Amino acid sequence: ARAQSSVTIYGTVDAGVQRTTHVANDATQITRRDNNKLGFRGVEDLGSGLKALFQLEIRYDPDTGALENNTRPLFQGQSRVGLQGNFGTLRLGRGLTAFQESVMAFEPWSGLPNVAGYQTNLQVAGYTSDPLSPAGNSANRFSNAVFYNTPVWNGFQVNATVATKEANGGPAVIGKGTTTAPQYAANANASNNPYSVSATYTNGPFAAMLAAERNAVEAKIWSVAASFKPIPDLKLMASFQRQDQSHTQFINTDTDAWVLGANWTVGVGKVLLGYGQKKPDGVLKTKQASVGYEYSLSPRTYLYLDLSHKRTPFVVTARSDVTQKHYALGVHHNF
Amino acid sequence: ARAQSSVTIYGTVDAGVQRTTHVANDATQITRRDNNKLGFRGVEDLGSGLKALFQLEIRYDPDTGALENNTRPLFQGQSRVGLQGNFGTLRLGRGLTAFQESVMAFEPWSGLPNVAGYQTNLQVAGYTSDPLSPAGNSANRFSNAVFYNTPVWNGFQVNATVATKEANGGPAVIGKGTTTAPQYAANANASNNPYSVSATYTNGPFAAMLAAERNAVEAKIWSVAASFKPIPDLKLMASFQRQDQSHTQFINTDTDAWVLGANWTVGVGKVLLGYGQKKPDGVLKTKQASVGYEYSLSPRTYLYLDLSHKRTPFVVTARSDVTQKHYALGVHHNF
Amino acid sequence: ARAQSSVTIYGTVDAGVQRTTHVANDATQITRRDNNKLGFRGVEDLGSGLKALFQLEIRYDPDTGALENNTRPLFQGQSRVGLQGNFGTLRLGRGLTAFQESVMAFEPWSGLPNVAGYQTNLQVAGYTSDPLSPAGNSANRFSNAVFYNTPVWNGFQVNATVATKEANGGPAVIGKGTTTAPQYAANANASNNPYSVSATYTNGPFAAMLAAERNAVEAKIWSVAASFKPIPDLKLMASFQRQDQSHTQFINTDTDAWVLGANWTVGVGKVLLGYGQKKPDGVLKTKQASVGYEYSLSPRTYLYLDLSHKRTPFVVTARSDVTQKHYALGVHHNF
């Protein structure tokens, strides 16, 4: 009861009509463009500049009302508790890694996990932050982790996430092993502590980022990115990333990807533009061009329209590619 | 944080002691009479008569604390987002169909899904709105749907729900096929877009409804119903419905059902009375008589007592029937 | 909407670094020391001293954001509704049994379910209140139950919990049967109504308790406990309990256990001390010594450190024992 005033309920409901060609289910669907959230968070002032923080975030599919993928943790979005003070912010639990959280500011769809956006498929190049958690789990979070963010010094901040090696009930990863003797057995411990670090810098209209991460099966990814606002209503952005899967793959171990983008505010509307390529070593390139439009009905609610055109191998090892088209029309509401 | 004031938490906890004879588990049970809910909803005023709406509703079994059936979606009750204005209300997501929502006003237990009530077994005659969703899912909702309600014109309103054909992980429906070649395979798309429409009319003490629906395996149901209040404390109601399962069944394709009922407010008490019959083509009739009493402790809380007597085939294809008796005693609390 | 003011959101987030040796996963882990909760509760004043009460409590693992054990009910903590008045408190649903709720006040870790504490392994001696619910379900609650607490008379209170026999989808219990003919089949009814009773007495610095319980497979446990505060900042406590599993076991049917403990408040810190033994009939003894320290940052937030040393059979039937060591360091935050 004493705590009632300290809990904030927040969330997002985003639903629309979408269609993507050349996918397993290419029918017109009611589905989401953004993550749908229902969260609970609070801040307690402990005095002397010290604060206690917690955040618990449910994620769900609005079209069926189910948890994302039916299988994800209740608080898939995050579950963290920690302290904030002059030393920065220190939290324990589950959440976005430093790498994944930092790259979003340099992606024209702000990291929204949809086909028109670039984060899932191109910007992180199919990399997963969490390969040893149950199948269907999210690909950009660490469970069992410590999260640290430094204070911001003259526009400069460093963020670090380190996870324990503890097993989390994941499936076997065959890797360089065999079906009967996989490189990582089911419910395996990590072979090394997963970590994720990023450094960000902001100076007026200019921002830049450098980030690197290693997951529980020792795949590595690094990224460099920058953005610039020539006028306040226009943000231009670019990122480059390289993934190294040589710990679990004999061939096609490296993947390079780059993304260019722009966000242009015009009255109550915002135009999103992006172009990017992904080049896995020895596999066909993926090339994607997307355009989006967000029409604000209020600071909390907008309508959106996305169109995307992607040239991509139909199966990742295939020698031929297809043209995948995507459209989305819907409503996005924050509460 | 800016949204805190816009989220309303609401719900229902209903638990009591019940027993039903001639069912799989005919022991005395602690269970629910009404749906148990914990919901989150909000309305944002966008100006010019336009509003953004969302609603997320958890449903659970109070006796074990589990989600209904252990398998239903987290937001089984509904998960919808949309806009409301002069044009009516338009929402996307998952919720009660227009048919299912409209018939409840003409059922003496107000559509409460319990043995004494008439909706599940008689009024919709065993029909399910959602046959291609996972087993155990609710029988009166569409997922992946668009929901539209017109404004009310002189007491008259039209409601429509249309779902996409997209697959939702459901079990196979053998139908007119065979075990090895079912009419609908597991995780099948709908063979046609499911839809549900209703028209309702209210004029002082009189109300009436006409509704029709077709589900994902093309079973059809329609209903006509009316209610009348000779005095403000007494509501009389009647409904008739016909189901057509000829798309998936060779025999026993049609089912007729009718229900008569009354709600009579006496001081802080309310008496519920009902009688109805269901006649599947070529199968024994089901005849049900129920009486209930609700004693209000406050506008939000009441105690209830139900007694029901049903003559019904023990197995639906059987040539003999049994007399099923049911009693319930419990407490219903809204928050 | 009318109910908004009556819902209180409350909870606990507790996460830290722990290690326990000689267990299946003896790596350093990020995990919890206390139960993590997110709850919703309300009280409605019905007039004349009568109140309606409800409480719904989610329990989760903060390190992964999942429900406890991935399999527990959504409202694992409790889901209850009821009335409170001059007659006491009467509730229906799922919650801690009278036995389990009363013994916690006499355990130096206040019943926190962690390795340093004494409740799970020693105080209730491995007994489970809920053997016929799904595997992984909690061991100290009844589902499908009626909960009654008398008013407090001169420091004296009686609490009783009685559950129905209804089946709840649990696994088979072989007991005195065989694999093919288990004593309790899968999804069996209880062979007798589970019950739990406790009587508590408080008089200034002195408190005492007597409690007994029988579960769905007719295991029985009773306990006697007392505490004394020689000075306000120091609480000394002792408990003894005996379990009888002769209904389902031919041998090793009785288990005795005792626990001594102290809580000592020193400034903003609290020292926890405990020592206890468990002696199953015909099996090696378990002996445990633990020390803990809680450092308060505010009335809602503290840091903790636990150290524990346990001599215990590695496998319960083994003739040799191991020394299990445990440490925990973390933060506990109420909201």
Side-chain angles (χ1 to χ4, degrees):
Chain A
R2 63 185 163 184
Q4 175 66 346
S5 60
S6 71
V7 182
T8 299
I9 301 177
Y10 69 94
T12 298
V13 199
D14 176 317
V17 179
Q18 294 189 24
R19 191 168 171 218
T20 309
T21 62
H22 296 287
V23 293
N25 191 349
D26 74 350
T28 299
Q29 299 188 30
I30 305 287
T31 186
R32 61 189 161 84
R33 177 207 201 212
D34 193 4
N35 297 313
N36 279 241
K37 302 165 199 150
L38 173 63
F40 304 86
R41 68 176 172 226
V43 177
E44 183 193 14
D45 191 338
L46 300 171
S48 313
L50 196 63
K51 290 172 184 171
L53 314 164
F54 82 93
Q55 191 162 357
L56 298 169
E57 191 173 293
I58 293 172
R59 290 264 295 270
Y60 61 95
D61 287 323
D63 51 350
T64 61
L67 291 181
E68 282 182 8
N69 275 19
N70 285 307
T71 55
R72 289 183 170 171
L74 181 65
F75 298 117
Q76 143 73 15
Q78 66 168 291
S79 71
R80 290 192 286 200
V81 60
L83 298 172
Q84 189 171 55
N86 298 331
F87 60 87
T89 304
L90 182 67
R91 287 174 291 179
L92 293 176
R94 168 190 174 82
L96 281 174
T97 67
F99 180 98
Q100 301 275 7
E101 196 156 37
S102 299
V103 294
M104 290 180 179
F106 303 92
E107 197 273 311
W109 269 252
S110 305
L112 301 197
N114 62 67
V115 178
Y118 290 83
Q119 201 198 14
T120 309
N121 189 225
L122 258 70
Q123 201 178 27
V124 303
Y127 168 86
T128 171
S129 294
D130 200 12
L132 293 183
S133 276
N137 231 320
S138 77
N140 43 11
R141 284 166 173 77
F142 282 173
S143 285
N144 302 303
V146 179
F147 301 82
Y148 175 63
N149 311 91
T150 66
V152 179
W153 298 303
N154 299 317
F156 188 75
Q157 186 176 32
V158 173
N159 312 286
T161 316
V162 180
T164 64
K165 296 186 201 173
E166 62 180 296
N168 196 23
V173 173
I174 293 176
K176 293 180 172 172
T178 62
T179 311
T180 50
Q183 190 174 356
Y184 293 86
N187 197 31
N189 278 1
S191 48
N192 234 321
N193 285 89
Y195 69 78
S196 184
V197 290
S198 71
T200 57
Y201 177 71
T202 307
N203 188 346
F206 176 75
M209 180 214 71
L210 200 59
E213 184 173 308
R214 183 182 69 194
N215 69 16
V217 300
E218 301 192 40
K220 287 169 228 158
I221 189 167
W222 62 263
S223 176
V224 56
S227 68
F228 182 66
K229 291 184 171 185
I231 54 170
D233 286 344
L234 179 63
K235 180 182 175 185
L236 304 174
M237 56 200 98
S239 66
F240 173 82
Q241 31 275 326
R242 174 168 290 170
Q243 185 185 180
D244 171 5
Q245 295 177 281
S246 58
H247 189 77
T248 55
Q249 293 183 196
F250 291 112
I251 57 164
N252 312 136
T253 58
D254 290 346
T255 303
D256 288 353
W258 54 266
V259 176
L260 301 176
N263 286 174
W264 187 21
T265 301
V266 185
V268 297
K270 186 162 82 165
V271 177
L272 316 176
L273 294 168
Y275 181 78
Q277 294 193 357
K278 176 173 78 168
K279 181 73 187 85
D281 184 29
V283 179
L284 285 177
K285 265 188 195 171
T286 291
K287 300 176 191 178
Q288 179 183 335
S290 300
V291 56
Y293 183 69
E294 297 175 357
Y295 179 86
S296 288
L297 298 171
S298 82
R300 285 170 40 198
T301 306
Y302 61 79
L303 305 177
Y304 58 81
L305 175 69
D306 281 342
L307 300 170
S308 182
H309 182 284
K310 192 187 288 190
R311 194 81 196 153
T312 190
F314 194 35
V315 175
V316 83
T317 54
R319 300 312 309 166
S320 68
D321 51 11
V322 294
T323 298
Q324 212 173 56
K325 289 176 187 174
H326 171 80
Y327 71 82
L329 174 67
V331 59
H332 184 283
H333 177 62
N334 286 326
F335 57 90
Chain B
R2 61 187 164 184
Q4 175 65 346
S5 60
S6 72
V7 182
T8 298
I9 301 177
Y10 68 95
T12 298
V13 199
D14 175 316
V17 178
Q18 294 189 25
R19 190 171 170 214
T20 309
T21 62
H22 296 288
V23 293
N25 191 348
D26 75 351
T28 298
Q29 300 188 31
I30 304 288
T31 185
R32 60 188 162 86
R33 178 208 201 213
D34 193 4
N35 298 313
N36 280 239
K37 301 164 199 151
L38 172 64
F40 304 86
R41 69 176 172 225
V43 177
E44 182 194 14
D45 192 338
L46 301 171
S48 313
L50 196 63
K51 290 172 183 169
L53 314 163
F54 83 92
Q55 192 161 357
L56 298 169
E57 191 173 292
I58 293 171
R59 290 264 294 270
Y60 60 95
D61 288 323
D63 51 351
T64 61
L67 291 181
E68 282 183 7
N69 275 18
N70 285 307
T71 57
R72 290 185 168 170
L74 180 65
F75 298 117
Q76 143 73 16
Q78 67 168 290
S79 71
R80 290 193 287 201
V81 60
L83 298 172
Q84 189 171 56
N86 298 330
F87 60 87
T89 305
L90 181 67
R91 288 173 291 179
L92 294 175
R94 169 191 175 80
L96 281 175
T97 68
F99 180 99
Q100 301 276 6
E101 196 156 36
S102 299
V103 296
M104 291 180 177
F106 304 91
E107 196 273 311
W109 270 252
S110 305
L112 301 196
N114 62 67
V115 179
Y118 290 83
Q119 201 198 14
T120 309
N121 190 225
L122 259 71
Q123 201 178 28
V124 303
Y127 168 86
T128 170
S129 294
D130 200 13
L132 294 183
S133 275
N137 231 319
S138 77
N140 43 12
R141 284 167 173 77
F142 282 175
S143 286
N144 302 302
V146 180
F147 301 82
Y148 175 64
N149 311 91
T150 66
V152 179
W153 298 302
N154 299 317
F156 189 75
Q157 187 177 33
V158 173
N159 312 286
T161 316
V162 180
T164 64
K165 296 186 202 172
E166 61 180 297
N168 197 22
V173 174
I174 293 176
K176 292 180 171 172
T178 61
T179 310
T180 50
Q183 191 174 354
Y184 293 85
N187 196 31
N189 278 1
S191 48
N192 234 320
N193 284 90
Y195 69 78
S196 185
V197 290
S198 71
T200 57
Y201 176 71
T202 307
N203 187 346
F206 177 75
M209 180 215 69
L210 200 59
E213 184 173 308
R214 183 183 69 195
N215 69 17
V217 300
E218 303 192 38
K220 286 169 228 159
I221 189 167
W222 62 261
S223 177
V224 56
S227 68
F228 181 66
K229 292 184 169 184
I231 54 169
D233 285 345
L234 179 63
K235 180 183 174 185
L236 305 173
M237 57 200 99
S239 66
F240 173 82
Q241 32 275 327
R242 175 167 289 169
Q243 186 185 181
D244 171 5
Q245 296 177 281
S246 59
H247 189 76
T248 54
Q249 293 184 196
F250 291 112
I251 57 165
N252 311 137
T253 58
D254 290 346
T255 303
D256 288 353
W258 55 265
V259 176
L260 299 177
N263 285 175
W264 187 20
T265 302
V266 185
V268 299
K270 185 162 84 165
V271 177
L272 317 176
L273 294 169
Y275 181 78
Q277 294 193 356
K278 176 173 79 166
K279 180 73 187 83
D281 185 29
V283 178
L284 286 177
K285 265 187 194 170
T286 292
K287 299 176 190 178
Q288 179 182 334
S290 299
V291 54
Y293 184 68
E294 296 175 358
Y295 180 84
S296 288
L297 297 172
S298 82
R300 284 169 41 197
T301 305
Y302 61 80
L303 306 177
Y304 57 80
L305 176 69
D306 282 341
L307 301 170
S308 181
H309 182 285
K310 192 187 289 192
R311 194 80 197 154
T312 190
F314 192 34
V315 175
V316 84
T317 54
R319 301 312 307 167
S320 68
D321 50 11
V322 294
T323 297
Q324 212 173 56
K325 289 176 187 173
H326 170 81
Y327 70 83
L329 174 67
V331 60
H332 184 283
H333 176 62
N334 286 325
F335 57 89
Chain C
R2 62 187 163 184
Q4 175 64 345
S5 60
S6 70
V7 182
T8 299
I9 300 177
Y10 68 95
T12 299
V13 199
D14 175 318
V17 179
Q18 294 188 24
R19 190 168 171 216
T20 309
T21 61
H22 297 287
V23 293
N25 191 349
D26 75 350
T28 299
Q29 300 189 30
I30 304 288
T31 186
R32 60 189 161 86
R33 177 208 201 212
D34 193 2
N35 298 313
N36 280 240
K37 301 164 200 152
L38 172 64
F40 304 86
R41 69 177 171 225
V43 177
E44 182 192 14
D45 191 338
L46 300 170
S48 313
L50 196 64
K51 290 173 183 170
L53 314 163
F54 83 93
Q55 192 161 357
L56 299 169
E57 191 172 293
I58 293 172
R59 290 264 294 269
Y60 61 94
D61 287 323
D63 51 350
T64 62
L67 292 180
E68 282 182 8
N69 274 18
N70 286 307
T71 56
R72 290 185 169 169
L74 180 66
F75 299 117
Q76 143 73 15
Q78 68 168 290
S79 71
R80 290 193 286 200
V81 60
L83 297 173
Q84 188 170 56
N86 298 330
F87 60 87
T89 305
L90 182 68
R91 287 173 292 179
L92 294 175
R94 168 190 175 81
L96 281 175
T97 67
F99 180 99
Q100 301 276 6
E101 196 156 37
S102 299
V103 295
M104 290 179 179
F106 304 91
E107 196 272 311
W109 269 253
S110 305
L112 300 197
N114 63 67
V115 179
Y118 290 82
Q119 201 198 14
T120 309
N121 190 227
L122 259 71
Q123 201 179 27
V124 303
Y127 168 86
T128 170
S129 293
D130 199 13
L132 293 183
S133 276
N137 231 321
S138 76
N140 43 11
R141 284 165 173 77
F142 282 174
S143 286
N144 302 303
V146 179
F147 300 82
Y148 175 63
N149 311 90
T150 67
V152 179
W153 299 301
N154 299 317
F156 189 75
Q157 186 177 33
V158 174
N159 312 286
T161 315
V162 180
T164 64
K165 295 185 202 173
E166 60 180 298
N168 197 23
V173 173
I174 293 175
K176 292 180 172 173
T178 62
T179 310
T180 50
Q183 190 173 357
Y184 293 85
N187 197 31
N189 278 2
S191 47
N192 235 319
N193 284 89
Y195 69 77
S196 186
V197 289
S198 71
T200 57
Y201 177 71
T202 307
N203 188 345
F206 177 75
M209 180 216 69
L210 200 59
E213 184 175 307
R214 183 183 69 195
N215 69 17
V217 300
E218 302 192 39
K220 287 170 229 158
I221 189 168
W222 63 262
S223 176
V224 56
S227 67
F228 181 66
K229 291 184 170 185
I231 55 168
D233 286 344
L234 178 63
K235 179 182 175 186
L236 303 174
M237 58 200 98
S239 66
F240 173 82
Q241 32 275 325
R242 173 167 291 171
Q243 186 185 181
D244 170 5
Q245 295 177 282
S246 58
H247 188 77
T248 54
Q249 292 183 195
F250 291 113
I251 56 165
N252 311 137
T253 58
D254 291 345
T255 303
D256 289 352
W258 54 265
V259 176
L260 300 177
N263 286 174
W264 187 21
T265 302
V266 186
V268 298
K270 185 161 83 164
V271 177
L272 317 176
L273 293 169
Y275 182 78
Q277 294 194 357
K278 176 173 80 167
K279 179 72 188 88
D281 184 30
V283 178
L284 285 177
K285 265 188 195 170
T286 291
K287 300 177 190 178
Q288 178 183 335
S290 299
V291 55
Y293 184 68
E294 297 174 357
Y295 179 85
S296 288
L297 298 171
S298 82
R300 285 169 41 197
T301 306
Y302 61 80
L303 305 176
Y304 58 80
L305 175 68
D306 281 342
L307 300 171
S308 182
H309 183 285
K310 193 188 288 191
R311 194 79 197 153
T312 191
F314 192 34
V315 174
V316 84
T317 54
R319 300 313 306 166
S320 69
D321 51 11
V322 294
T323 297
Q324 212 173 56
K325 289 176 188 174
H326 169 81
Y327 70 84
L329 173 68
V331 59
H332 184 285
H333 177 62
N334 286 326
F335 58 88

